Amino acid sequence: MEKILVKGGSPLIGEVQVSGAKNAALPILAAGLLATEGTSKFYNVPKLSDIKTISLLFESLGVKVNYKPEENTIEMDARNPLVTEASFEFVSKMRASFLVLGPMLAREGRAKVAMPGGCSIGSRPIDQHLKGFEILGAEVIQDAGFVEARSSKQLEGNTIFFDFPSVGGTQNVIMASCLAKGKTTIVNAAQEPEIEDMINFLIKMGAKISGKGTSVLEIEGVEKLVGAEYTIMSDRVEAATYMIAAAATRGDVLVKGAPYKDNVALVSKMREMGVEIEVFEDAMRVRNNLETLKPVDVKTLPHPGFLTDMQSIMCVLTLLGNGTSTITETVFENRFMHVEELRRMNAKIRIEGRSSLIEGPAHLEGTTVRATDLRSGAALIIAGLMAKGSTKIIDIYHIDRGYVDIEEKMRKLGADVRRIEE
């Protein structure tokens, strides 16, 4: 079994290049299924296990896929009719696989997809996805672990109001609406940068979408979409990870491929704690030479609020706070599983309702801990860099779902991080 071994005590110093965004790449690749003419080629595709999984899923649907992980490219030919059932084997491994439902329904008039899997961070309901499909004219059936949507005629545009700004729901309904008849208006749409990136690709394919970056989107249906070339945005969560790691180890790191506009909330909170951040056109430099930082209060919210994916990583930085910091999780109810692992390392954290109260400054001790989900795994690596002695992290397959060459990138910054086989 592979594990990651971290030895603490070294500040991170140097430059790191952020890879392509997993949370943008997966929906953009799903949007490529809508192309009934031409082929698509994607650049800056991160070399991750989730990308391999969705490529295998596409092949099972009849799509020709040429994935070159070392070149960070994928070519897709989706011109043949799609198989209308997505296998449980692939969909159960990651939630983003559910995004094939919208394109399949729009193109073939029928789609059957297994209930989605992924990290166990709490309930992530698909009701907003299904509500949107029904308003567009589809019949939706949930039975025996599958969701089936079907329509005997072309989907018809309509006004869809989301009860909350669901990221996946927004993406799935946008894709289904692109080939619907007439205009679809989505009210209370999610506004994440990854959604804007997907919209930019759809527009290159010939889609007519207005309102990107806002909570109201209008999609005018078209007869067909054509394959296109597109470069995936950089990963703002990976950027945040290295920014926090630099501050937590009292280091000095230039994070390249990290636009300020994608991480405004994070930068604001880090500066509030006393971390020095210098902003460039497509990069940020993070410096911290303080023994302790100021405590801070953080609440996760839909974009442009503080991103839930950064919550566990931010928790580690607050361990340097001189006093009590509070992190409130409003998006997922089960996203504090990292707390118990940090307690094993001598962190003083208690949970009250949907908030974690972190007492600092902490003096972490290395031990064996478990990555309970993707982002908690990254948080534990940073905690290991802060700790006295060695930290061994198990269940690192979670980390491989979202971070490209994390040990190598950390080592180039001076960290003692390596993968071991036991």
Side-chain angles (χ1 to χ4, degrees):
M1 181 183 294
E2 284 192 326
K3 303 175 182 179
I4 288 178
L5 185 65
V6 184
K7 292 184 179 179
S10 300
L12 300 189
I13 297 174
E15 299 182 356
V16 64
Q17 177 64 52
V18 175
S19 301
K22 181 196 82 153
N23 289 342
L26 295 173
I28 286 172
L29 293 172
L33 297 176
L34 290 165
T36 53
E37 291 187 10
T39 60
S40 297
K41 185 170 184 179
F42 305 96
Y43 303 91
N44 200 34
V45 179
K47 185 177 64 175
L48 299 170
S49 58
D50 274 9
I51 300 296
K52 179 65 174 176
T53 298
I54 205 165
S55 298
L56 293 172
L57 171 60
F58 289 169
E59 288 177 343
S60 75
L61 300 178
V63 179
K64 296 177 182 177
V65 180
N66 184 11
Y67 176 32
K68 297 181 179 179
E70 299 308 319
E71 297 179 11
N72 302 117
T73 63
I74 285 184
E75 295 179 68
M76 280 177 55
D77 182 348
R79 289 176 289 184
N80 291 331
L82 300 176
V83 174
T84 57
E85 182 169 334
S87 167
F88 173 80
E89 175 188 358
F90 302 116
V91 180
S92 63
K93 293 180 180 178
M94 63 175 190
R95 184 173 181 80
S97 299
F98 197 69
L99 293 175
V100 302
L101 200 152
M104 291 162 62
L105 174 64
R107 274 192 58 174
E108 308 299 338
R110 180 181 178 273
K112 186 176 182 180
V113 180
M115 293 291 287
C119 288
S120 300
I121 56 175
S123 174
R124 295 192 278 182
I126 56 172
D127 56 327
Q128 300 302 298
H129 303 238
L130 307 187
K131 169 184 172 179
F133 296 145
E134 289 177 331
I135 292 174
L136 293 175
E139 178 189 7
V140 178
I141 302 168
Q142 295 186 65
D143 185 49
F146 280 82
V147 173
E148 184 173 3
R150 55 194 180 203
S151 177
S152 58
K153 58 182 181 179
Q154 184 182 8
L155 298 176
E156 293 191 10
N158 208 330
T159 297
I160 299 166
F161 173 78
F162 283 138
D163 298 316
F164 65 94
S166 163
V167 173
T170 299
Q171 292 164 334
N172 235 336
V173 172
I174 288 172
M175 290 186 282
S177 301
C178 284
L179 296 180
K181 182 180 179 181
K183 184 174 77 171
T184 299
T185 302
I186 303 176
V187 182
N188 198 26
Q191 303 174 54
E192 273 68 9
E194 294 81 6
I195 293 176
E196 188 171 344
D197 209 35
M198 186 191 77
I199 290 173
N200 288 336
F201 170 62
L202 286 166
I203 290 172
K204 284 198 74 172
M205 296 175 73
K208 296 180 180 180
I209 306 173
S210 60
K212 66 178 181 179
T214 75
S215 63
V216 180
L217 299 172
E218 291 188 348
I219 304 105
E220 192 70 43
V222 296
E223 290 187 5
K224 64 180 180 181
L225 292 174
V226 180
E229 294 192 355
Y230 195 74
T231 300
I232 308 294
M233 67 179 282
S234 32
D235 193 323
R236 61 190 175 119
V237 186
E238 186 188 6
T241 302
Y242 289 107
M243 291 169 68
I244 289 173
T249 60
R250 301 180 180 89
D252 183 348
V253 176
L254 178 67
V255 184
K256 301 167 75 174
Y260 168 70
K261 67 179 178 62
D262 291 342
N263 268 324
V264 174
L266 173 72
V267 172
S268 175
K269 288 300 176 182
M270 291 181 70
R271 284 174 169 167
E272 193 176 323
M273 296 184 74
V275 178
E276 183 181 348
I277 300 177
E278 189 175 359
V279 174
F280 301 96
E281 183 177 352
D282 193 39
M284 286 185 276
R285 183 180 181 183
V286 179
R287 285 176 286 200
N288 176 34
N289 57 10
L290 302 173
E291 285 296 315
T292 60
L293 298 171
K294 297 175 183 177
V296 70
D297 294 332
V298 176
K299 178 186 287 187
T300 64
L301 291 167
H303 191 79
F306 196 95
L307 181 63
T308 180
D309 278 3
M310 300 177 190
Q311 182 254 109
S312 57
I313 307 167
M314 187 66 179
C315 177
V316 176
L317 183 60
T318 62
L319 292 170
L320 289 182
N322 188 14
T324 303
S325 295
T326 303
I327 298 181
T328 301
E329 174 60 56
T330 71
V331 181
F332 297 122
E333 75 280 0
N334 197 26
R335 206 156 199 177
F336 287 136
M337 292 188 293
H338 59 282
V339 168
E340 189 58 39
E341 304 306 310
L342 291 172
R343 284 174 177 158
R344 297 179 195 275
M345 301 178 71
N346 205 34
K348 292 179 174 59
I349 307 173
R350 68 183 190 275
I351 304 298
E352 292 186 1
R354 300 195 74 157
S355 296
S356 59
L357 281 67
I358 305 104
E359 298 289 341
H363 302 284
L364 300 181
E365 299 281 347
T367 187
T368 298
V369 290
R370 181 172 67 93
T372 54
D373 61 73
L374 166 55
R375 304 307 172 186
S376 76
L380 292 173
I381 291 177
I382 299 172
L385 295 173
M386 298 166 62
K388 180 180 178 181
S390 297
T391 300
K392 188 183 295 182
I393 304 168
I394 64 174
D395 287 355
I396 62 172
Y397 64 90
H398 287 297
I399 299 171
D400 293 336
R401 290 186 50 237
Y403 288 93
V404 177
D405 300 329
I406 190 167
E407 314 100 85
E408 181 182 344
K409 289 182 178 182
M410 288 287 191
R411 282 197 298 269
K412 287 181 179 179
L413 295 173
D416 190 342
V417 180
R418 57 192 173 93
R419 190 171 293 230
I420 60 174
E421 185 79 35
E422 286 190 344

